[in-house]
Each structure stands twice: as C-alpha cells, then as structure tokens.
Amino acid sequence: MANYFQREIECASHEEIRAMQDEKLVRQVRHVWDNVPYYRKKMEEKRVAPDDIHGIDDLYKLPFLEKADLKAAYPYGMLAVPLAECVRIHSTSGTTGKRVVSFYTQADIDLWNDCCARALVAAGGSKDDVCHIAYGYGLFTGGAGLDGGSHRLGALTVPCSSGNTERQIMFIMDLKATILCCTPSYAAYLGEAMKEMGYKPDDIPLKAGIFGAEAWSEEMRRDIEKTLGIKAYDIYGLTEISGPGVAFECSEQHGMHINEDHFAAEIIDPDTGEVLPEGAEGELVFTSLDKRAFPLLRYRTRDICRLTREKCSCGRTHIRMEKPKGRSDDMLIIRGVNVFPSQIETVLLNNGYAANYQIIIGRVNNTDTFEVKVEMTPDMFTDNVGEIDERRKVLSDGLKNMLGIKAKVTLVAPKTIARSEGKAVRVVDNRKI
C-alpha cells in the first residue's frame, strides 16, 4: 500500500486542488503586483490588473517570465519581500557571467522541504532510513533540497556532497545507507566503482535512489537498478521555482507528480505562447503559488513535455508530467550543469578567437563527455606545439571559470569545422538519452 508524507494534500480531489490553486493564485498575483515593480510593469503593458485574476482559469491573461527577465532584474529586481526576511539564496548559471539568483524566506524553505519529503516517501522513504546525499551542496539546489527533505522526514541524513567516490562508498556500506540521492550519471559511476571493488547488488544496503538534474534514459535507469540493486526514481525541479521536488516519481513511474498545491503547470506552444490542452506536447510553464521571496508567475522552463491527469494507481491525484523530451532553447545540460553556447562564445571572443567552434557531447560509462573544438584564426595558426598547448590551457581555464565544469579543448586549423549553409554545426550530441 502506498505511503504519503501529506496524504490529505497528495490525494486531494481535483476540485479541492483547484479551489486551493484559485485562492492561492489570486493572493499571489496581488503580492507580486504590490511588491515587484518589474512584473507589475509587464502586467500593465498587457493591460491586466490583479482584479482581472479570479482563479486558475485566468492564468493565461498574465504575462510570461523568461530567464532573460531574471537576468535583466538581477540581483534584487524580482525580490518580493524585504531582504531582511530572506534567509538563503541559491543560484543557477545564466547565459553570461551573470547568474540567476533565487531568494528564500524560511517559509519558502519549509515548503521546499515538504516537497522533497514527499518525493522521499514516494520512493519508499521513512524516518527509519539512512539518506545518502551525493548531490553538490552550495549554490546548487540539489544537495540542499534533498537534505532539507530528509531532515523534514526525520531520516538520518548523510550530507556527503559530490566527489571523493571512495569515501562515498565507505559511508554507504558502513552506515548502511538505504536511499541514494545524486545525479543519475554519478549513481551509475558509483555502481561501476562498487562492482570493481567486488560488491554484488545483494551486498549493497541501498533500496532506492532519487536521481535528477540531468537527462537520463530508461536504459540507464535499468542499468543503475541492476548494478546497485535498487529502484531508481526521477525527480524534477529548477532553481528559479525552488529546486528539486517540484515534481517526483511514485512507485508506478508513469510520469512525475507535480506538487500542484504549490506550483501551477501549463503546456504552451513554444512559438505562439498559446495554452495547449491536456495531453498535448509543448513547453512547460510554472507559476509559484505561494513562494514569498521569489514568486515567479508563468515562468517558461523551455522543457518540452506533456501533462496528464489520468488516474495513478499510487493514489496520488496531482497532475503528472512526462520526462522532458528536449528543450525549446539552446541550453544543454552536461553533467547536471546548464551550458549555453553563448557562454562558450563569450570565452572565445574574449581570447581573440572568431567563435568558430563545435560542442561535442558523448557518454562513456554513463558519464557525460564534453569537448569543445575551436578553430584558430589564420594569424594564430602555428606548428609550435608548446604555443598551441598554452593557448588550449588558457581556453580550458576560461571555460571552466565560466561554466563551472571542465571541457576538453581541441584547437584545430582554420576552416576545418564543417559548415552547413554557411554556419558551423554548433552542437553534436551523441548521447543516447
């Protein structure tokens, strides 16, 4: 029988959820209008006021927010409460050196903790579990989100953060960890490392894993499950809205339940902005219904997926989103990090290159590989290996500083990167996801 963290909410009727959303949206729109001049101006430009919003049926009247808006309003332009009420920030990369900064009141964090606790319970978690968290901590939301959910649940929390695989395995085995939280690629790597150390699935105490922050295939899920002897669950979130826990898989694993009491979801045509009916494929849009510090209305995620209200045998009634199939913009997710081609262009141009480059992404042993091929300009081109190595190192360091992850840099002769209709083929993604 299914377990729930907050049964009365997770199994509420559609009518109860709708009534909750209607009330919260009206209150949230007024809160944003009164406290966020940036969004109030967007509403005025669209000739809509708080009195025009009576519930979820009126959501379409509100203007969209996009990442460009958050960049334009950086750092405090979207803040809806006095700074003294905020207790934390998290941040995600933007398309340049500026980052999107999301603010949290204590109430916002409590809400987030509840969402992540629901995800843990849906994966079979309880206060009797040992929750091993190998997501990164710091500005990234992964570690903090599942850490808070684990504490909220009352489980023993092991805040290992990322890296130091030998130590991770030592704590998993010695503390008899039962739930693993990390990126799917790192879960696969841990599984392979434990296999090489001689551990069989039956030797490993883990029973479940909650994996997110990057795309992963069903084949990868089965491989992780087989190697670690667990059931692997997907989780969805984004820093702008709160972090992991916006949606999560239950034991049925037919899509992720969206926490509708906190987030209203829409699917739109990415080209026209028109709201599409349930079941149609399009771009996912979220509205924060009760976040206080950073309450985004109609935020365009750029993720392409479908929503469904088909009955789920787990008993949860909240709408489900399928695993995103791709994106409507040019953002890539590599090793759980958002990477934009424009970030790479910025580094190249700052170092005197002409931005003729190619991003090549692959996957080896369930870990993303990331190479950037860069054309040298004619005056840079030389057969001096030492000079080329020095140039490559400067670019490699610059990309690491910009992106936060390391790329293999390959410098090639002028005009050697294939072009199509006069343009370079910027991205070659060889991952099977």
Side-chain angles (χ1 to χ4, degrees):
M1 185 170 176
N3 291 318
Y4 316 97
F5 182 65
Q6 295 167 317
R7 183 189 179 98
E8 70 285 355
I9 297 173
E10 294 177 67
C11 299
S13 69
H14 177 54
E15 291 72 26
E16 289 171 321
I17 294 170
R18 186 61 175 265
M20 200 183 311
Q21 288 187 325
D22 286 344
E23 180 184 343
K24 287 185 175 186
L25 180 64
V26 170
R27 186 168 62 239
Q28 188 75 300
V29 169
R30 173 60 68 179
H31 174 59
V32 172
W33 173 275
D34 289 343
N35 296 289
V36 185
Y38 185 96
Y39 195 79
R40 181 168 66 242
K41 183 181 177 184
K42 289 179 77 76
M43 287 179 66
E44 289 170 342
E45 288 170 352
K46 203 174 178 185
R47 297 184 178 179
V48 60
D51 290 342
D52 298 319
I53 307 301
H54 304 287
I56 291 296
D57 284 342
D58 295 322
L59 196 55
Y60 75 95
K61 298 177 182 178
L62 294 168
F64 292 113
L65 278 172
E66 303 186 39
K67 185 160 283 196
D69 291 303
L70 306 190
K71 177 187 169 186
Y74 173 91
Y76 294 126
M78 297 300 298
L79 188 59
V81 298
L83 196 59
E85 293 183 23
C86 297
V87 297
R88 193 195 298 170
I89 69 156
H90 283 283
S91 177
T92 185
S93 63
T95 54
T96 69
K98 294 290 186 183
R99 302 173 69 90
V100 171
V101 176
S102 180
F103 298 84
Y104 300 75
T105 65
Q106 186 57 53
D108 294 336
I109 289 175
D110 293 342
L111 174 160
W112 185 16
N113 291 346
D114 282 348
C115 289
C116 288
R118 292 178 192 177
L120 284 162
V121 173
S126 74
K127 65 181 179 60
D128 298 320
D129 280 289
V130 177
C131 189
H132 184 101
I133 300 172
Y135 283 114
Y137 281 66
L139 291 172
F140 177 56
T141 55
L146 272 303
D147 185 289
S150 179
H151 277 87
R152 183 75 175 86
L153 184 59
L156 177 63
T157 307
V158 185
C160 256
S161 195
S162 54
N164 200 330
T165 300
E166 286 188 12
R167 185 179 64 187
Q168 303 270 4
I169 293 171
M170 180 188 74
F171 278 131
I172 288 171
M173 299 305 296
D174 291 353
L175 298 176
K176 297 186 173 7
T178 51
I179 299 176
L180 172 65
C181 302
C182 62
T183 62
S185 59
Y186 193 59
Y189 181 75
L190 279 172
E192 288 303 314
M194 294 176 89
K195 186 176 180 180
E196 289 174 6
M197 293 171 70
Y199 292 114
K200 296 182 174 68
D202 289 346
D203 301 325
I204 301 170
L206 295 169
K207 66 178 183 181
I210 297 179
F211 309 129
E214 63 187 13
W216 53 309
S217 64
E218 286 302 309
E219 291 75 18
M220 187 173 181
R221 187 205 296 265
R222 301 304 164 218
D223 183 60
I224 292 170
E225 289 181 333
K226 182 180 177 182
T227 308
L228 290 174
I230 64 172
K231 186 161 185 173
Y233 295 79
D234 208 348
I235 191 168
Y236 177 90
L238 56 167
T239 301
E240 298 93 324
I241 299 299
S242 74
V246 172
F248 59 87
E249 276 188 329
C250 65
S251 58
E252 296 306 307
Q253 298 185 322
H254 294 306
M256 290 173 275
H257 291 277
I258 294 170
N259 284 307
E260 283 192 280
D261 53 320
H262 299 310
F263 311 104
E266 303 171 90
I267 294 291
I268 65 166
D269 183 311
D271 297 321
T272 67
E274 175 192 2
V275 178
L276 300 178
E278 179 189 323
E281 183 175 285
E283 181 183 338
L284 183 61
V285 173
F286 276 117
T287 292
S288 298
L289 293 173
D290 42 17
K291 273 196 73 176
R292 301 302 291 166
F294 204 69
L296 301 190
L297 304 179
R298 302 198 84 197
Y299 182 71
R300 297 185 61 165
T301 68
R302 301 295 179 179
D303 285 324
I304 301 297
C305 69
R306 289 185 173 90
L307 299 177
T308 179
R309 286 198 180 277
E310 289 180 8
K311 186 176 180 180
C312 184
S313 59
C314 81
R316 291 175 179 80
T317 52
H318 292 212
I319 199 166
R320 281 170 290 154
M321 59 175 281
E322 68 178 16
K323 184 188 288 284
K325 290 185 174 180
R327 294 185 57 81
S328 62
D329 61 9
D330 62 351
M331 189 184 85
L332 304 165
I333 301 179
I334 304 173
R335 301 177 209 146
V337 175
N338 298 349
V339 174
F340 292 84
S342 54
Q343 292 174 302
I344 294 170
E345 291 176 9
T346 298
V347 175
L348 298 185
L349 292 169
N350 286 344
N351 284 278
Y353 294 82
N356 293 321
Y357 67 96
Q358 192 170 62
I359 303 167
I360 302 171
I361 311 164
R363 184 159 278 177
V364 176
N365 295 328
N366 290 313
T367 299
D368 289 343
T369 60
F370 177 28
E371 178 182 7
V372 181
K373 284 188 176 179
V374 183
E375 282 187 3
M376 291 181 281
T377 60
D379 60 333
M380 290 178 182
F381 190 56
T382 176
D383 58 3
N384 185 319
V385 175
E387 188 176 327
I388 291 176
D389 276 347
E390 183 57 33
R391 286 188 174 279
R392 184 186 54 75
K393 185 179 185 307
V394 169
L395 273 187
S396 181
D397 291 344
L399 290 171
K400 177 75 165 28
N401 289 337
M402 173 66 83
L403 305 173
I405 59 172
K406 191 172 180 60
K408 175 186 175 184
V409 174
T410 303
L411 295 177
V412 298
K415 298 183 180 179
T416 55
I417 291 178
R419 286 161 171 75
S420 175
E421 297 180 1
K423 290 186 178 181
V425 179
R426 292 295 188 215
V427 179
V428 178
D429 194 339
N430 296 316
R431 295 174 293 185
K432 304 297 182 186
I433 53 179

